[in-house]
């Protein structure tokens, strides 16, 4: 296996840590109980960018496909909001994702929403879909009035009820705006959040250490790196602020460097080089004295102001805790 193939293998690995296992169990539960009532219970899964929402969806779908290899029916419909960010185009996208026809068959026009809804309900029944997962759901709510958001919610409620299919809404924290509608608030009792890893609290640090141990064990190297050591675990967290996507990108870069050098594991030297490649203009966090490292975590989720009209005004990024030194963290009880 060549270097890029090994790097790809690691890039695609997925660790079912406890939090994502709980979410996948809930998705299984929704599928299992969907025929009990026409009034479907659904789930809202939110998280900041880089917390692994899309990776969770892909992994769950792959597991479902493996369990349905002998069946031609599609058990899970994974879709996302159309590039046009409107309801008609998104319904067409869902029909396209069912592979019943291409997006060219329908040209949604004003007044045809009900036809699209009925076509989608019929298609979902015919293909026996057990769960709809809509990724990046927040995109259809942005730049919409409260009345427009309610109309979107009404359409999706109709589809879910008539097809007897639960929906998993996945997106940024402000996707929860769908819960403004009392009808959806009661259907979305299940609300789960994917968060960045944390380091300051001891129990949450243990969870992070368990995760990076899992990453180390999945690296295609003769000896798993000791990422959970006090020094490397602290530096990896400071470099990523606990963001899963950034953490993995850094480790992929270090892995490629190690493989090119024919090393049998990843050392801090490889991490120094990887960090320099990704952040050439920043002080290298794998070279500076560990006591000078600063740690911060997401304190408040990113949010949206629906009254604003430009993207700069619309979204407000996450708020982080005040940076702390390692000694101050370790002194906490």
């Amino acid at each position: 296996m060549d270097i890029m193939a090994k790097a790809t293998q690691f890039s695609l690995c997925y660790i079912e840590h406890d939090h994502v296992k709980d979410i996948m169990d809930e998705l299984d539960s929704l599928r299992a109980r969907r025929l009990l009532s026409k009034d479907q219970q659904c789930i809202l899964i939110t998280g900041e960018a880089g917390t692994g929402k899309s990776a969770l969806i892909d992994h769950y779908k792959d597991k479902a496909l493996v369990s349905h290899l002998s069946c031609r029916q599609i058990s899970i419909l994974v879709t996302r909001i159309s590039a046009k960010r409107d309801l008609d185009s998104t319904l067409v996208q869902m029909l396209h994702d069912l592979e019943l026809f291409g997006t060219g068959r329908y040209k949604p026009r004003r007044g045809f929403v009900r036809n699209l809804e009925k076509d989608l309900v019929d298609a979902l029944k015919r293909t026996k879909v057990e769960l709809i997962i809509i990724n990046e759901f927040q995109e259809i709510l942005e730049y919409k009035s409260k009345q427009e958001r309610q109309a979107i919610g009404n359409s999706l409620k109709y589809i879910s009820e008539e097809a007897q299919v639960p929906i998993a809404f996945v997106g940024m924290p402000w996707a929860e705006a769908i819960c403004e509608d009392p009808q959806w608030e009661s259907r979305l009792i299940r609300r789960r959040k994917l968060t960045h890893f944390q380091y300051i609290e001891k129990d949450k640090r243990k969870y992070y250490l368990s995760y990076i141990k899992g990453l180390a064990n999945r690296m295609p190297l003769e000896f798993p790196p000791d990422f959970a050591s006090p020094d490397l675990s602290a530096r990896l967290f400071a470099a990523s602020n606990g963001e899963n996507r950034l953490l993995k990108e850094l480790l992929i870069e270090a892995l490629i460097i190690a493989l090119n050098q024919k090393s049998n594991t990843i050392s801090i030297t490889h991490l120094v080089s990887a960090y320099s490649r990704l952040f050439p203009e920043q002080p290298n966090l794998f070279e500076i004295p560990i006591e000078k490292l600063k740690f911060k975590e997401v304190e408040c989720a990113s949010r949206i102001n629906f009254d604003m009209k430009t993207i700069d005004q619309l979204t407000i990024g996450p708020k982080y805790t005040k940076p702390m030194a390692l000694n101050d963290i370790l002194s906490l009880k």
Side-chain angles (χ1 to χ4, degrees), residues 271-297:
L271 290 165
V272 168
S273 299
Y275 194 87
S276 293
R277 286 187 183 183
L278 294 178
F279 309 103
E281 297 181 0
Q282 296 184 18
N284 197 305
L285 299 184
F286 293 89
E287 289 183 316
I288 66 175
I290 194 168
E291 62 270 13
K292 291 188 177 181
L293 291 178
K294 296 294 183 181
F295 298 80
K296 60 181 182 179
E297 301 173 348

Coordinates of all heavy atoms in Angstrom, one line a residue, residues 271-297:
L271 N 5.3 16.0 14.2 CA 4.3 17.0 14.5 C 4.7 18.4 14.3 O 4.0 19.3 13.9 CB 3.7 16.7 15.9 CG 2.9 15.4 16.1 CD1 2.8 15.1 17.5 CD2 1.6 15.5 15.4
V272 N 6.0 18.7 14.7 CA 6.6 20.0 14.5 C 6.5 20.3 13.0 O 6.1 21.4 12.6 CB 8.0 20.0 14.9 CG1 8.7 21.3 14.4 CG2 8.1 20.0 16.5
S273 N 6.9 19.4 12.1 CA 6.9 19.6 10.7 C 5.5 19.8 10.1 O 5.2 20.7 9.3 CB 7.6 18.5 10.0 OG 8.9 18.4 10.4
A274 N 4.6 19.0 10.6 CA 3.2 19.1 10.2 C 2.5 20.4 10.5 O 1.9 21.0 9.7 CB 2.4 17.9 10.8
Y275 N 2.8 20.9 11.8 CA 2.2 22.1 12.2 C 2.8 23.3 11.4 O 2.1 24.2 11.0 CB 2.5 22.4 13.7 CG 1.7 23.5 14.3 CD1 0.4 23.2 14.8 CD2 2.2 24.8 14.4 CE1 -0.4 24.2 15.3 CE2 1.4 25.8 14.9 CZ 0.2 25.5 15.4 OH -0.6 26.6 15.9
S276 N 4.1 23.2 11.1 CA 4.7 24.3 10.3 C 4.1 24.3 8.9 O 4.0 25.4 8.3 CB 6.2 24.0 10.2 OG 6.8 24.2 11.5
R277 N 3.8 23.2 8.3 CA 3.2 23.1 7.0 C 1.8 23.7 7.0 O 1.4 24.5 6.1 CB 3.1 21.7 6.5 CG 4.5 21.1 6.0 CD 4.3 19.7 5.4 NE 5.5 19.1 5.0 CZ 5.6 17.9 4.4 NH1 4.5 17.3 4.1 NH2 6.8 17.4 4.1
L278 N 1.0 23.4 8.0 CA -0.4 23.9 8.1 C -0.4 25.4 8.5 O -1.3 26.1 8.0 CB -1.2 23.0 9.0 CG -1.4 21.6 8.6 CD1 -2.2 20.8 9.7 CD2 -2.1 21.5 7.3
F279 N 0.4 25.8 9.4 CA 0.4 27.1 10.0 C 1.8 27.8 10.0 O 2.4 28.0 11.0 CB -0.1 27.1 11.4 CG -1.4 26.3 11.6 CD1 -1.5 25.1 12.1 CD2 -2.6 26.9 11.2 CE1 -2.6 24.4 12.2 CE2 -3.8 26.2 11.3 CZ -3.8 24.9 11.8
P280 N 2.3 28.0 8.8 CA 3.7 28.5 8.7 C 4.0 29.8 9.3 O 5.1 30.1 9.7 CB 3.9 28.6 7.1 CG 2.6 28.7 6.6 CD 1.7 27.9 7.5
E281 N 3.0 30.7 9.5 CA 3.2 32.0 10.1 C 2.9 32.1 11.6 O 3.0 33.2 12.1 CB 2.3 33.0 9.3 CG 2.7 33.1 7.8 CD 1.8 34.1 7.1 OE1 1.0 34.8 7.7 OE2 2.0 34.3 5.9
Q282 N 2.6 31.0 12.2 CA 2.3 31.0 13.6 C 3.4 30.3 14.4 O 4.1 29.5 13.9 CB 1.0 30.2 13.9 CG -0.3 30.8 13.2 CD -1.5 30.1 13.6 OE1 -1.6 29.3 14.6 NE2 -2.6 30.3 12.9
P283 N 3.6 30.7 15.7 CA 4.5 30.1 16.5 C 4.2 28.6 16.6 O 3.0 28.2 16.7 CB 4.3 30.7 17.9 CG 3.7 32.1 17.6 CD 2.9 31.8 16.4
N284 N 5.2 27.7 16.5 CA 5.0 26.3 16.5 C 4.7 25.8 17.9 O 5.5 25.8 18.7 CB 6.2 25.6 15.9 CG 5.8 24.2 15.4 OD1 5.3 23.4 16.2 ND2 6.1 23.9 14.2
L285 N 3.5 25.3 18.1 CA 3.0 24.8 19.4 C 3.7 23.5 19.8 O 3.5 23.1 21.0 CB 1.5 24.7 19.5 CG 0.7 26.0 19.2 CD1 -0.8 25.8 19.4 CD2 1.2 27.1 20.1
F286 N 4.4 22.9 18.9 CA 5.1 21.6 19.3 C 6.6 21.9 19.6 O 7.3 21.0 19.8 CB 4.9 20.6 18.2 CG 3.5 20.1 18.0 CD1 2.6 20.8 17.2 CD2 3.1 19.1 18.7 CE1 1.3 20.4 17.1 CE2 1.8 18.6 18.6 CZ 0.9 19.3 17.8
E287 N 7.0 23.2 19.5 CA 8.4 23.6 19.8 C 8.5 24.4 21.1 O 9.5 24.3 21.8 CB 9.0 24.3 18.7 CG 9.3 23.5 17.4 CD 9.9 24.3 16.3 OE1 9.5 25.4 16.1 OE2 10.9 23.8 15.7
I288 N 7.5 25.2 21.4 CA 7.6 26.1 22.5 C 7.5 25.4 23.8 O 6.9 24.3 23.8 CB 6.5 27.2 22.4 CG1 5.1 26.6 22.6 CG2 6.5 28.0 21.1 CD1 4.0 27.7 22.7
P289 N 8.0 25.9 24.9 CA 7.9 25.2 26.2 C 6.5 24.9 26.6 O 5.6 25.8 26.4 CB 8.6 26.2 27.2 CG 9.5 27.0 26.3 CD 8.8 27.1 25.0
I290 N 6.2 23.8 27.1 CA 4.8 23.4 27.4 C 4.1 24.3 28.4 O 2.9 24.5 28.3 CB 4.7 21.9 27.9 CG1 3.3 21.4 27.8 CG2 5.3 21.8 29.2 CD1 3.2 19.9 28.0
E291 N 4.9 24.9 29.3 CA 4.3 25.8 30.3 C 3.8 27.1 29.6 O 3.0 27.9 30.2 CB 5.3 26.1 31.4 CG 6.6 26.8 31.0 CD 7.7 25.9 30.6 OE1 7.4 24.7 30.4 OE2 8.8 26.3 30.5
K292 N 4.2 27.4 28.4 CA 3.8 28.6 27.7 C 2.5 28.3 26.8 O 2.0 29.3 26.2 CB 4.9 29.2 26.9 CG 6.0 29.7 27.7 CD 7.0 30.5 26.8 CE 8.2 31.1 27.7 NZ 9.1 31.8 26.8
L293 N 2.1 27.1 26.7 CA 0.9 26.8 26.0 C -0.3 27.4 26.6 O -0.4 27.5 27.9 CB 0.7 25.3 25.9 CG 1.7 24.5 25.0 CD1 1.3 23.0 25.1 CD2 1.7 25.0 23.6
K294 N -1.3 27.8 25.8 CA -2.6 28.3 26.3 C -3.7 27.5 25.8 O -3.7 27.1 24.6 CB -2.8 29.8 25.8 CG -1.7 30.8 26.4 CD -1.8 30.9 27.9 CE -0.8 31.9 28.4 NZ -0.8 32.1 29.9
F295 N -4.7 27.2 26.7 CA -5.8 26.3 26.3 C -7.1 27.1 26.4 O -7.3 27.8 27.4 CB -5.8 25.1 27.3 CG -4.6 24.3 27.3 CD1 -3.4 24.7 27.9 CD2 -4.6 23.1 26.5 CE1 -2.3 23.9 27.9 CE2 -3.5 22.3 26.5 CZ -2.3 22.7 27.1
K296 N -7.9 26.9 25.4 CA -9.3 27.5 25.4 C -10.3 26.5 24.8 O -9.9 25.6 24.0 CB -9.3 28.8 24.7 CG -8.9 28.7 23.2 CD -8.9 30.1 22.6 CE -8.6 30.0 21.1 NZ -8.7 31.3 20.4
E297 N -11.5 26.6 25.3 CA -12.6 25.8 24.8 C -13.8 26.6 24.5 O -13.9 27.8 24.9 CB -13.0 24.8 26.0 CG -11.9 23.9 26.5 CD -12.3 23.1 27.7 OE1 -13.4 23.4 28.3 OE2 -11.6 22.2 28.1

